[in-house]
Amino acid sequence: MVVRPCLNTNRQKYPLYLYPTLNGLITGETAYVISILGAFLFSICTETKRINRRTHLSFRLERERGGEKRRKNSPLPPKMAKMYHKEKSIPIKSSASALYNNLSVLRIAPRCLTYFTVVHANVVNMVSASWDGLNYSHRQLQSKEGNVATSSSLIMQAAWCVLPSRDLLVLTSQKGIQMYESDGSIMVYWHALDTPETPTAKAVFARGIAAVREKYICVGVSSGSVLVFDVPSKGSNITLSEVLEEHKEAITDMASECSGSLECIADLVSADDSGLLCVWKSGDDFQLLNKIPGFDTSCSSVKLWKGTVIAGYGTGQIRLYEAVTGILHAEVNAHARWIYSLDIAPFTGLLLSAAEDSWVRVWHLSLTPETNSVEIEHMYNECVTDTQICGAKFCDGDGYAFAVTGYDLSEIIRYTQA
């Protein structure tokens, strides 16, 4: 096919070998040469544009994936360098359910082990892995109802609660709350949820787990209540000491102050399906310090660090609030889809976020005492291809390594700093 270039598209299109010019008409071989030359230039321009487009797309994907194959003269800033690399994944016996914060991690330093838990329907997959990732063992915990050996009720969350005197593994389900020794070997406590005598359209379940100060474990329920349990240093004499009634919607997540600072007034933050955040001070009687509205946007994951509330929302946004006053320090459009998990490395201020959009992102939080402000800086991306991420946790307090789970994925994916 011969391409017929025409300098003015509004002019009449002449047959081949007959082209209008400023000086009249050109015919014969001259016009033929011009047409061939024009077709050649046109093809070069088209191919150049296609190559530029392909190069730009490749570079953009390369940048989003953390710069795995960065060119030497790449304009990417140093902070976007490859911070983490993928390690060998840990298999689990059943795949992860699509639940908020569906991964919990407990580091056992004296034994050089890390415990992981992932929920699947009415089962909790528990894995004990050596730090080199070469050796691991499995245990599965079933949903229970009091003295009944097993139950079909769905488990909503599993998380370790680290207290000064002991560590407990807490499971929440549609029927109640189970507390185990840290290795999952012995169930030390069971608390049944109040269920209506007649079926209702509103589901009943417990969700949201946090260890607070020396002896409290707090658990949220679908009615909006927060149950406060008093935990002794040993034994099974765990008691329900208080019920906090400030939320009107189902609790989605809770977090305690993770920095260990005694100067922070706020000890606990709770979040619900409406996005409301309640900030508490612990004690013999828990005191409500502040209520931060959510504007009807569900808050799926929340953290509390050095007096700052870090909240992740269904809109994909991360917001940083001052806990006591509720002042908004920053709002980041972090993800394209629903955020499922947040975590923070308390010693370094690294923040981990994971969402349905398959992306895991690492941020850095810094405090400025002079201005009483908090800044957030983006540090790293990782795309877990074709995976709806439902859990992400740092494996240590410095953020040296993190782990990820995804819906219907039968493995725990691990990353460590390069």
Side-chain angles (χ1 to χ4, degrees):
M1 183 182 73
V2 177
V3 180
R4 301 180 181 181
C6 181
L7 298 177
N8 188 340
T9 56
N10 293 324
R11 293 181 178 177
Q12 177 185 358
K13 298 257 191 331
Y14 289 83
L16 187 61
Y17 308 152
L18 194 62
Y19 288 92
T21 66
L22 294 176
N23 296 323
L25 297 177
I26 295 178
T27 59
E29 294 182 0
T30 305
Y32 178 75
V33 172
I34 293 175
S35 67
I36 294 298
L37 180 61
F40 177 69
L41 294 175
F42 180 79
S43 64
I44 289 177
C45 292
T46 303
E47 184 65 19
T48 301
K49 288 181 180 179
R50 188 171 65 179
I51 291 173
N52 288 341
R53 216 167 27 238
R54 188 188 310 157
T55 303
H56 174 74
L57 178 60
S58 174
F59 181 73
R60 188 182 66 186
L61 291 175
E62 185 178 300
R63 180 178 56 190
E64 289 178 348
R65 289 170 182 166
E68 282 182 300
K69 301 177 181 177
R70 292 177 59 193
R71 289 182 286 270
K72 291 183 180 179
N73 297 324
S74 170
L76 295 179
K79 69 178 181 179
M80 290 297 293
K82 184 69 176 176
M83 288 178 61
Y84 295 87
H85 67 271
K86 189 175 180 180
E87 295 283 358
K88 181 182 177 182
S89 296
I90 300 174
I92 52 178
K93 293 195 172 183
S94 51
S95 61
S97 297
L99 301 170
Y100 300 151
N101 308 296
N102 193 3
L103 177 64
S104 186
V105 176
L106 178 65
R107 183 180 174 91
I108 311 295
R111 299 169 58 191
C112 296
L113 292 175
T114 303
Y115 290 164
F116 300 89
T117 59
V118 181
V119 175
H120 170 81
N122 65 334
V123 173
V124 174
N125 298 291
M126 182 176 172
V127 183
S128 172
S130 60
W131 287 357
D132 56 13
L134 299 178
N135 301 303
Y136 42 81
S137 61
H138 297 268
R139 181 194 294 269
Q140 286 191 317
L141 303 177
Q142 296 277 343
S143 177
K144 295 183 179 180
E145 298 178 35
N147 296 325
V148 180
T150 60
S151 169
S152 60
S153 63
L154 298 178
I155 295 176
M156 305 301 294
Q157 191 177 2
W160 273 284
C161 291
V162 179
L163 297 169
S165 58
R166 66 194 300 189
D167 301 336
L168 293 177
L169 175 59
V170 181
L171 278 56
T172 62
S173 70
Q174 295 174 313
K175 296 295 184 180
I177 301 162
Q178 302 164 225
M179 297 188 188
Y180 290 82
E181 295 293 353
S182 60
D183 60 358
S185 59
I186 302 173
M187 188 171 78
V188 297
Y189 183 72
W190 156 260
H191 177 84
L193 296 179
D194 294 331
T195 56
E197 296 181 359
T198 57
T200 62
K202 193 171 183 179
V204 176
F205 56 86
R207 180 177 60 189
I209 304 166
V212 183
R213 293 300 182 186
E214 289 79 15
K215 62 175 185 175
Y216 298 110
I217 291 179
C218 299
V219 179
V221 294
S222 54
S223 64
S225 301
V226 175
L227 310 181
V228 181
F229 295 95
D230 191 327
V231 180
S233 58
K234 60 181 180 178
S236 59
N237 190 27
I238 299 172
T239 58
L240 177 63
S241 62
E242 191 174 356
V243 179
L244 309 178
E245 303 276 5
E246 289 294 335
H247 292 275
K248 304 303 179 186
E249 300 292 334
I251 301 297
T252 52
D253 194 23
M254 291 195 295
S256 59
E257 174 60 54
C258 63
S259 68
S261 173
L262 298 177
E263 298 178 358
C264 299
I265 300 175
D267 294 327
L268 175 72
V269 58
S270 53
D272 67 22
D273 266 332
S274 71
L276 176 67
L277 304 174
C278 289
V279 181
W280 308 87
K281 178 177 175 58
S282 65
D284 292 336
D285 293 312
F286 276 58
Q287 177 186 353
L288 178 67
L289 298 178
N290 193 16
K291 295 176 77 170
I292 303 172
F295 309 106
D296 294 325
T297 301
S298 181
C299 176
S300 49
S301 191
V302 68
K303 293 295 169 187
L304 181 60
W305 179 72
K306 293 187 177 181
T308 301
V309 175
I310 305 106
Y313 294 86
T315 57
Q317 293 179 323
I318 296 174
R319 298 176 192 163
L320 307 182
Y321 294 98
E322 186 176 336
V324 176
T325 64
I327 295 174
L328 178 63
H329 286 298
E331 184 178 67
V332 182
N333 294 321
H335 291 272
R337 298 188 66 181
W338 205 291
I339 291 177
Y340 262 59
S341 186
L342 294 177
D343 195 27
I344 193 161
F347 303 144
T348 58
L350 290 179
L351 173 68
L352 185 68
S353 65
E356 284 183 332
D357 60 4
S358 300
W359 285 96
V360 183
R361 305 190 193 278
V362 178
W363 315 79
H364 181 251
L365 304 183
S366 56
L367 301 177
T368 308
E370 294 79 9
T371 59
N372 198 28
S373 62
V374 184
E375 294 182 354
I376 180 170
E377 181 183 16
H378 180 232
M379 302 296 292
Y380 176 74
N381 285 323
E382 186 70 47
C383 180
V384 187
T385 308
D386 298 329
T387 301
Q388 178 186 328
I389 300 173
C390 53
K393 285 284 185 181
F394 284 118
C395 299
D396 58 277
D398 295 311
Y400 175 76
F402 67 87
V404 174
T405 57
Y407 171 59
D408 209 23
L409 202 65
S410 298
E411 62 179 349
I412 299 171
I413 305 173
R414 299 183 307 138
Y415 299 87
T416 58
Q417 285 191 13

